[in-house]
C-alpha cells in the first residue's frame, strides 16, 4: 500500500468516502500560507476563502475534477447528512489551474456545528470534458462514489484532508481583527 494513503485509511477517508486507490498525482493545498497536511487541524475562520491548490504529475492534455466534502455532517457521532459537499470544480485543465476549471458548486468554507470534522479534497482524472452537468439539488447527503461513477471518473488520483471544529466566538473575533 502506498505510504501516501496510510493517513486516509487510518482516519477512514478510504472507506467512508472513497474506496482504496493508489495516488498517481500530487495535490498540495494551502489556506493562505498554511500548507494542509493529512490530519492537520485548521480553524474554520482560516478557511473562509477557497484554498490555493497546486497539482503535479498531471497530463497536460487531460481534464480533472476536484471535489471537497465533509463526511461528518452534522456530527461525527451521527453523520446523517454524510457527505456535505463544499465544492465541485470540473474540467480543470492539465496545467492544474483550478481557476480555469468550471465551478459546478461554489466553495463554501467549513462550519462544523459540533465535534471534529474531516474535510476531504479529492482529485479525479476525467475521460474527457464533462459537458453539461447539473449542480446537486442540496449540499447534504452528497455521495462522492455515486458522483464519480455517474461521471465515469473512476477512483481518485490524489486526496488530502484536514480537521476542523467549531471555534469559540471570542477566537473568531480575535482572528478577524
Amino acid at each position: 500500500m502506498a505510504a501516501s494513503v496510510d493517513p486516509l485509511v487510518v482516519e477512514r477517508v478510504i472507506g467512508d468516502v472513497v474506496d482504496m486507490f493508489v495516488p498517481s498525482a500530487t495535490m498540495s493545498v494551502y489556506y493562505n500560507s498554511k500548507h494542509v497536511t493529512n490530519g492537520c487541524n485548521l480553524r474554520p475562520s482560516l478557511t473562509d476563502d477557497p484554498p490555493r491548490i497546486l497539482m503535479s504529475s498531471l497530463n497536460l492534455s487531460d481534464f480533472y475534477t476536484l471535489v471537497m466534502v465533509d463526511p461528518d455532517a452534522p456530527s461525527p457521532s451521527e453523520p446523517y447528512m454524510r457527505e456535505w459537499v463544499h465544492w465541485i470544480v470540473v474540467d480543470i485543465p492539465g496545467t492544474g489551474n483550478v481557476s480555469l476549471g468550471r465551478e459546478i458548486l461554489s466553495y463554501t468554507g467549513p462550519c462544523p456545528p459540533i465535534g471534529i470534522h474531516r474535510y476531504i479534497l479529492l482529485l479525479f482524472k476525467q475521460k474527457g470534458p464533462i459537458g453539461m452537468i447539473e449542480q446537486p439539488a442540496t449540499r447534504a447527503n452528497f455521495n462522492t462514489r455515486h458522483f464519480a461513477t455517474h461521471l465515469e471518473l473512476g477512483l481518485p488520483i490524489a486526496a488530502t484532508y484536514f480537521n476542523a471544529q467549531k471555534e469559540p466566538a471570542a477566537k473568531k473575533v480575535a482572528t478577524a481583527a
Side-chain angles (χ1 to χ4, degrees):
M1 178 181 345
S4 59
V5 298
D6 287 349
L8 302 174
V9 172
V10 171
E11 291 301 319
R12 299 178 334 275
V13 169
I14 293 176
D16 285 352
V17 178
V18 293
D19 296 323
M20 179 62 74
F21 69 97
V22 176
S24 59
T26 58
M27 178 173 61
S28 297
V29 178
Y30 296 86
Y31 280 99
N32 298 313
S33 62
K34 172 69 175 167
H35 180 231
V36 175
T37 56
N38 281 327
C40 73
N41 295 308
L42 295 179
R43 292 191 319 265
S45 58
L46 294 178
T47 62
D48 287 340
D49 296 322
R52 182 171 50 98
I53 299 176
L54 304 176
M55 303 173 207
S56 59
S57 302
L58 303 181
N59 185 330
L60 290 175
S61 62
D62 288 329
F63 292 93
Y64 299 86
T65 292
L66 178 72
V67 176
M68 180 177 166
V69 296
D70 169 5
D72 302 317
S75 160
S77 61
E78 293 184 41
Y80 63 86
M81 294 176 143
R82 174 178 290 167
E83 302 156 27
W84 187 273
V85 62
H86 283 264
W87 197 21
I88 301 174
V89 184
V90 300
D91 294 338
I92 300 167
T95 59
N97 188 339
V98 175
S99 67
L100 296 178
R102 208 161 35 94
E103 195 172 64
I104 300 303
L105 193 61
S106 63
Y107 177 85
T108 182
C111 188
I114 189 168
I116 299 171
H117 289 235
R118 298 166 291 166
Y119 294 91
I120 303 155
L121 291 107
L122 299 151
L123 184 66
F124 295 88
K125 181 179 173 183
Q126 298 173 196
K127 289 187 175 181
I130 295 289
M132 289 301 298
I133 179 176
E134 289 187 31
Q135 90 179 70
T138 177
R139 290 182 184 265
N141 301 116
F142 182 79
N143 187 305
T144 300
R145 284 183 182 95
H146 290 152
F147 178 79
T149 299
H150 177 71
L151 295 181
E152 300 180 353
L153 298 173
L155 295 171
I157 61 167
T160 192
Y161 82 98
F162 63 92
N163 297 314
Q165 61 186 324
K166 186 174 184 172
E167 291 179 78
K171 267 197 175 171
K172 284 185 185 177
V173 172
T175 57

